[in-house]
Amino acid sequence: MRKPEFPLCWFNRHTPIRDRAKWDGTHFISTCRFCGSGIRRRSAGHWHKDWEPDHEGQPAWL
């Protein structure tokens, strides 16, 4: 039985959509299940708002 989840997005503690998490070379990135913002995993179990947002239109090597 799973415990109920409480969204902590206002405190910068997000919950990822785990089956959509991807590795970008330095961190796992995903989307928050509750607020829909881009998030990165800082350490095991600690997901925070993305501090390196992807800039569309720029190549990945820049």
Side-chain angles (χ1 to χ4, degrees):
M1 178 179 219
R2 293 184 67 199
K3 64 180 180 178
E5 294 183 26
F6 182 73
L8 296 172
C9 301
W10 285 9
F11 303 108
N12 199 19
R13 294 291 304 264
H14 298 272
T15 304
I17 301 174
R18 298 213 183 262
D19 60 340
R20 294 188 183 171
K22 294 189 176 9
W23 179 254
D24 74 344
T26 58
H27 298 94
F28 281 101
I29 57 173
S30 186
T31 303
C32 180
R33 176 182 309 193
F34 298 110
C35 68
S37 65
I39 56 177
R40 284 183 181 265
R41 191 178 86 171
R42 179 158 291 226
S43 61
H46 296 278
W47 291 81
H48 298 284
K49 190 170 181 180
D50 193 358
W51 59 89
E52 296 177 10
D54 185 31
H55 301 287
E56 291 187 29
Q58 287 186 347
W61 60 84
L62 292 179

